[in-house]
């Protein structure tokens, strides 16, 4: 998908850059990428995005979860429409998101607290796949989701205060089972499915490589390496591209070696959150309200 900036200015189209979120932390001292600086295009801005929310692509349309409880559809030209309002549907706020068979599947957290895994059709019709409230508990929440062999892989904190957590498998009929206990590594955020199983971004700074059978290994510790805490990931060729709380987008090769791709905080674009790959380029959301295309 080749995305060009909108030729018509509007509150959601490309426009001058704004300062980053006040919650942004200073960038770590890491070695700059030896490659030329990538071109960045603001597809939309002014979006109410939280730092743990993802982004997905459905055909030619980008799907963006917001803190208002909405899933937004954003065209390549930057036109923004509401696909569905999950708060109005009395479900909650969407966080993790993945595209599967033309639909999107999202993790949703409400205020009671209640937590769900929800399928959303292209027309906005909703189906609750599973009620995750009992699994998440009163102080927990689901975060990331990935599609895998007709099932869904979900990261969940069972208690955000004590940082207890797990990786779950949810069947198409809503049956929930545990893959691995991840409490040793803090709260899990984003997850993606790979040929080797799953990669999970952890609060303590690690990317974990997890087999379908539940064997856990540390792929890389990004926090220890000075790159920050990972939020979300996408696969690009043989590498992973990762957003972090330090305002960075980091490349991690199959051997677990990280390198800096982009410093969005330095570019005054905020802290990146959601990330997907489209035609080799990156689509990224930030807590400063941007939906960006980054051409590599």
């Amino acid at each position: 998908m080749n995305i060009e900036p909108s030729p018509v200015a509007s509150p959601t189209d490309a426009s001058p850059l704004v300062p980053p979120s006040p919650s942004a932390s200073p960038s770590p001292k890491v070695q700059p990428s030896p490659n030329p600086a990538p071109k960045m295009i603001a597809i939309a801005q002014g979006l109410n995005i939280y730092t743990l929310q993802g982004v997905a692509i459905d055909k030619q349309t980008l799907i963006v979860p917001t803190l208002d409880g909405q899933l937004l559809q954003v065209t390549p030209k930057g036109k923004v429409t509401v696909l569905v309002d999950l708060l109005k549907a009395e479900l909650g706020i969407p966080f993790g998101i993945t595209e599967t068979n033309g639909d999107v599947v999202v993790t949703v957290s409400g205020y009671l607290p209640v937590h769900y895994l929800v399928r959303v059709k292209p027309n906005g019709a909703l189906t609750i796949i599973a009620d995750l409230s009992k699994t998440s508990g009163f102080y927990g929440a689901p975060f990331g989701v990935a599609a895998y062999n007709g099932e869904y892989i979900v990261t969940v904190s069972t208690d955000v205060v004590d940082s207890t957590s797990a990786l779950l498998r949810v069947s198409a009929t809503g049956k929930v089972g545990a893959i691995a206990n991840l409490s040793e590594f803090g709260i899990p955020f984003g997850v993606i499915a790979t040929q080797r199983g799953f990669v999970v971004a952890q609060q303590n700074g690690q990317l974990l490589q997890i087999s379908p059978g539940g064997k856990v290994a540390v792929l890389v510790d990004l926090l220890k390496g000075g790159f920050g805490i990972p939020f979300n990931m996408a696969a690009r060729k043989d590498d992973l591209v990762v957003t972090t709380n330090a305002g960075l987008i980091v490349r991690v090769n199959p051997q677990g070696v990280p390198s800096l791709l982009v410093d969005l905080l330095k570019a005054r674009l905020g802290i990146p959150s959601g990330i997907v790959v489209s035609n080799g380029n990156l689509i990224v959301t930030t807590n400063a309200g941007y939906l960006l295309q980054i051409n590599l």
Side-chain angles (χ1 to χ4, degrees), residues 29-270:
K29 294 180 180 180
V30 298
Q31 292 299 318
S33 170
N35 299 318
K39 180 181 179 181
M40 292 185 281
I41 300 168
I43 301 169
Q45 70 175 67
L47 309 179
N48 190 12
I49 298 168
Y50 183 59
T51 50
L52 295 178
Q53 292 177 306
V55 63
I57 298 176
D58 181 12
K59 297 179 181 178
Q60 293 292 313
T61 304
L62 304 169
I63 310 296
V64 181
T66 74
L67 202 54
D68 306 308
Q70 299 174 336
L71 291 182
L72 302 180
Q73 293 177 311
V74 186
T75 70
K77 294 294 184 180
K79 181 181 179 181
V80 178
T81 57
V82 177
L83 172 62
V84 67
D85 191 320
L86 293 162
L87 273 180
K88 285 186 177 179
E90 299 183 348
L91 292 175
I93 296 172
F95 284 91
I97 183 169
T98 189
E99 187 278 335
T100 177
N101 298 322
D103 302 335
V104 292
V105 173
V106 293
T107 58
V108 181
S109 288
Y111 295 117
L112 293 177
V114 290
H115 309 284
Y116 302 101
L117 186 65
V118 177
R119 178 184 291 272
V120 182
K121 293 286 187 181
N123 63 359
L126 299 172
T127 303
I128 295 176
I129 299 171
D131 186 333
L132 301 175
S133 304
K134 184 177 180 180
T135 305
S136 300
F138 193 83
Y139 296 106
F143 291 104
V145 59
Y148 178 76
N149 289 348
E151 298 182 317
Y152 308 101
I153 308 303
V154 179
T155 60
V156 60
S157 171
T158 51
D159 189 324
V160 295
V161 178
D162 291 336
S163 297
T164 55
S165 59
L167 184 65
L168 305 179
R169 176 182 284 108
V170 181
S171 73
T173 58
K175 183 179 178 180
V176 180
I179 298 174
N181 186 318
L182 305 178
S183 300
E184 176 185 352
F185 305 98
I187 298 170
F189 300 134
V191 58
I192 62 168
T194 70
Q195 292 181 345
R196 299 173 58 188
F198 320 110
V199 180
V200 177
Q202 293 287 149
Q203 172 195 27
N204 290 356
Q206 301 92 352
L207 294 184
L208 301 181
Q209 181 73 57
I210 304 174
S211 73
K215 183 178 179 181
V216 179
V218 175
L219 176 63
V220 63
D221 190 325
L222 291 176
L223 184 60
K224 186 179 291 185
F227 294 93
I229 297 169
F231 286 148
N232 286 293
M233 300 157 291
R236 182 178 184 270
K237 299 180 180 178
D238 294 329
D239 300 329
L240 298 175
V241 283
V242 186
T243 60
T244 82
N245 76 327
L248 309 179
I249 299 176
V250 179
R251 177 193 285 120
V252 177
N253 72 14
Q255 291 73 43
V257 179
S259 59
L260 176 63
L261 276 178
V262 185
D263 188 335
L264 290 180
L265 201 54
K266 187 176 181 180
R268 301 178 65 79
L269 291 169

